[in-house]
Amino acid sequence: MTQVGPAVPREPGAVDGGGFRDAMRLLPSGVVMVTVSVDGRPWGLTISSCCSLTADPPQLLISLFTRTVTCQEILGGGSFGISVLGADHSEVAALGAASGAAKFVDGYCDECDHRATSPRVRGAVYHLDCRLAAAHEHGDHTVIVGAVIGAERTAAEPAADPLIYFDRSYRRVGADLTAVSG
């Protein structure tokens, strides 16, 4: 299931990691919490590297630093959850993003049987239960393909505003968004 590709050499004159991070900080992205159970307790890692892969079958992609507890739990256990965070979830998002800190999120999750389903962040915009479909190591990260086996709207109607990460801080989408056609 795990594929390890060769290291990609850096091209002469290529942008350095700092320049790349500066560019990527200006790419707004949704914020999700990847959830697993660690010692029977809900654990959550906040990421902004989550996207859909296919609708048929439903699959998504996430990218995790390989040495994180979350990545190791997914590779070892084969299942995980994705809670799409709303604008009012910045506190739990900060907890899940804290470098080197324990990421137990008991107080932020719905009560559920974590043996049957992944932990769900209370009030999340949506929650997806996933099974590991593939994993590919690239540099110090692992790209994980998750087969979506369950999807549940967990926020109250109408849809909650999503939490956005932009320019190195959490942001909220304004209610006055206008669709732009192109």
Side-chain angles (χ1 to χ4, degrees):
M1 197 176 302
T2 300
Q3 278 187 332
V4 180
V8 178
R10 201 162 120 196
E11 297 290 325
V15 74
D16 66 3
F20 178 69
R21 282 188 295 278
D22 285 346
M24 296 312 296
R25 78 174 211 216
L26 298 176
L27 175 65
S29 56
V31 180
V32 303
M33 180 162 276
V34 181
T35 62
V36 294
S37 285
V38 174
D39 297 328
R41 293 177 60 195
W43 179 277
L45 176 67
T46 304
I47 65 169
S48 59
S49 55
C50 176
C51 65
S52 63
L53 179 60
T54 63
D56 188 17
Q59 294 182 331
L60 55 79
L61 279 173
I62 59 173
S63 176
L64 304 176
F65 184 61
T66 302
R67 293 188 311 217
T68 62
V69 169
T70 307
C71 187
Q72 295 307 306
E73 287 291 327
I74 292 170
L75 295 176
S79 64
F80 61 98
I82 297 290
S83 284
V84 179
L85 300 183
D88 58 344
H89 287 105
S90 59
E91 184 177 311
V92 70
L95 172 66
S99 181
K103 296 173 182 6
F104 289 109
V105 290
D106 309 69
Y108 297 96
C109 287
D110 290 331
E111 293 295 322
C112 66
D113 181 355
H114 301 304
R115 295 167 299 185
T117 185
S118 58
R120 292 183 308 268
V121 174
R122 188 178 313 106
V125 176
Y126 228 91
H127 183 80
L128 305 167
D129 278 310
C130 302
R131 295 282 181 255
L132 177 63
H136 309 277
E137 289 184 25
H138 294 277
D140 60 1
H141 275 64
T142 299
V143 176
I144 293 173
V145 177
V148 179
I149 59 170
E152 179 182 2
R153 178 178 204 93
T154 54
E157 298 289 336
D161 286 339
L163 185 62
I164 302 295
Y165 193 71
F166 174 74
D167 200 14
R168 297 188 176 124
S169 63
Y170 297 119
R171 310 286 178 117
R172 93 178 28 237
V173 174
D176 60 347
L177 288 180
T178 303
V180 178
S181 59

